[in-house]
Amino acid sequence: MNIDQTSDGDIAAITRTAARVLDGVRTAVVGMDEPLTLALATILAGGHVLFEDVPGLGKTLAARSLAAALGLEFRRLQCTPDMLPGDVTGSFVYAPDSGDFRFRPGPIFTGLLLADEINRTTPKTQSAMLEAMAERQVTVEGHRYPLPEPFHVIATSNPIEYEGTYALPEAQLDRFMVRLAVGYPEPEDEAGIVEQRIRRQREHTDVDAVIDATELIALQAAVERIHVDDDLIRYAVHLVRGTRTATNVAVGASPRGSQALILLARAVAAIEGRGYVRPDDVKRIAIPVLAHRLTLTPQAWAQGVDPAGVVSAVVNTTPVPPTVADAVALRP
């Protein structure tokens, strides 16, 4: 493979644009640098994002601000137990003027869909998003309707409440390239959140668009040309295969996990200003990419084993290919 597949100008454009997008989002969101960077990298890699953490940490604000900065058409879907699949995909409605039924597109026909509290809606409605996330299309009453490009889903989930919630099935979780935890902010960041709200003198925040959908598609195409060494691909595969034989794991990550590791690592490398992927890029994203794809044994759940800990142990015990390590050491 030729390391010059992506020009220096393309890489510089990705890095510069990513910095402007993140700076724009930071005008509304405080103290979420790593989750925001990985969320942006996921979109550049063509994937979908799941934010899972306790309420009140700014997950919805982060998703809305990211959509605004990317210049994408944005729709928010507040998931509830009584929501039907047609409320997501759209449905046929009767048109009195013509006497026939016409398709009325649902909120999923947008550039970025925020599925807020996705675990509050039923599995039947959750599965309505499955085809859209995997194939960029929906099928309603036998009719296929392609979704606009680009199309991305950012979903939020509350992991601490169980009453009135429905756990996402493994097939749905596997469609999310990453699952990100926001975490409580540091004291100075939390103070900054309060100070920012006082200065704003209103609840609503505005984030200016940095690029538009057409420019985002061009950046995504450039990310697709980022160089990846063959040995690094095998390293990612070894990591994923390690999750399948790890202690306390009933079902490990699928080949979709191997692809996600490489696809996201390319976007991370581009954001960092490099036209090639390093092992550290893969290690950095291993937990967000793989932890939600693991099914632990019942004994592991009873013992409180954390999937993130399983992935971390696999990363620590999987050797980096020496040829990749040597080549990376020689590059700037």
Side-chain angles (χ1 to χ4, degrees):
M1 298 176 69
N2 183 359
I3 195 169
D4 295 323
Q5 290 181 27
T6 303
S7 69
D8 291 341
D10 288 339
I11 297 168
I14 296 171
T15 305
R16 183 171 58 252
T17 303
R20 290 172 58 207
V21 168
L22 292 173
D23 286 344
V25 174
R26 290 188 191 107
T27 63
V29 181
V30 179
M32 291 174 54
D33 284 355
E34 182 67 3
L36 284 174
T37 300
L38 294 185
L40 175 58
T42 300
I43 292 175
L44 290 176
H48 309 290
V49 181
L50 175 63
F51 279 112
E52 186 175 270
D53 220 318
V54 299
L57 297 182
K59 303 183 296 294
T60 301
L61 176 61
R64 188 171 64 243
S65 302
L66 194 56
L70 292 171
L72 296 176
E73 182 184 359
F74 172 78
R75 293 188 183 180
R76 181 176 181 269
L77 192 65
Q78 183 61 53
C79 298
T80 57
D82 61 347
M83 183 178 291
L84 300 175
D87 297 328
V88 178
T89 61
S91 58
F92 283 88
V93 297
Y94 180 69
D97 58 337
S98 61
D100 59 1
F101 287 85
R102 297 175 183 170
F103 179 67
R104 178 177 293 172
I108 204 165
F109 286 84
T110 187
L112 194 149
L113 176 71
L114 170 60
D116 216 356
E117 295 188 291
I118 193 173
N119 60 329
R120 287 201 176 277
T121 194
T122 61
K124 185 176 183 179
T125 304
Q126 291 172 2
S127 65
M129 300 183 195
L130 199 60
E131 180 186 13
M133 294 172 65
E135 302 176 29
R136 267 48 175 197
Q137 68 175 34
V138 298
T139 304
V140 181
E141 297 187 16
H143 298 273
R144 174 185 173 274
Y145 297 95
L147 295 172
E149 291 188 5
F151 168 75
H152 298 279
V153 173
I154 296 181
T156 68
S157 178
N158 180 357
I160 63 170
E161 290 183 290
Y162 296 99
E163 185 174 353
T165 64
Y166 304 86
L168 287 170
E170 283 75 8
Q172 184 87 18
L173 279 173
D174 205 34
R175 292 300 191 275
F176 288 101
M177 184 173 282
V178 293
R179 180 177 65 182
L180 302 174
V182 176
Y184 286 111
E186 296 295 327
E188 53 272 20
D189 289 332
E190 191 163 354
I193 294 171
V194 177
E195 292 168 358
Q196 191 179 78
R197 171 62 181 85
I198 292 173
R199 286 196 304 269
R200 216 167 43 234
Q201 297 184 3
R202 56 191 173 90
E203 186 64 31
H204 183 68
T205 59
D206 294 312
V207 175
D208 295 330
V210 173
I211 57 175
D212 58 23
T214 301
E215 292 173 293
L216 175 58
I217 291 173
L219 293 177
Q220 290 173 332
V223 169
E224 288 286 350
R225 298 190 296 270
I226 295 293
H227 174 76
V228 185
D229 279 305
D230 292 339
D231 282 351
L232 196 55
I233 294 174
R234 284 189 283 271
Y235 172 60
V237 170
H238 288 321
L239 285 177
V240 172
R241 292 179 65 86
T243 67
R244 301 170 193 166
T245 57
T247 305
N248 298 316
V249 175
V251 181
S254 70
R256 188 177 286 118
S258 304
Q259 292 185 59
L261 274 178
I262 294 300
L263 295 177
L264 184 58
R266 291 190 308 188
V268 168
I271 289 175
E272 296 293 330
R274 285 179 279 104
Y276 57 90
V277 177
R278 300 190 306 200
D280 285 348
D281 298 324
V282 177
K283 292 180 180 181
R284 174 181 177 182
I285 62 176
I287 291 176
V289 169
L290 298 179
H292 65 288
R293 303 176 193 270
L294 306 186
T295 301
L296 301 186
T297 62
Q299 295 84 357
W301 283 115
Q303 296 168 5
V305 175
D306 182 10
V310 174
V311 175
S312 180
V314 171
V315 170
N316 291 335
T317 56
T318 303
V320 176
T323 55
V324 174
D326 293 342
V328 168
L330 297 175
R331 292 172 182 161

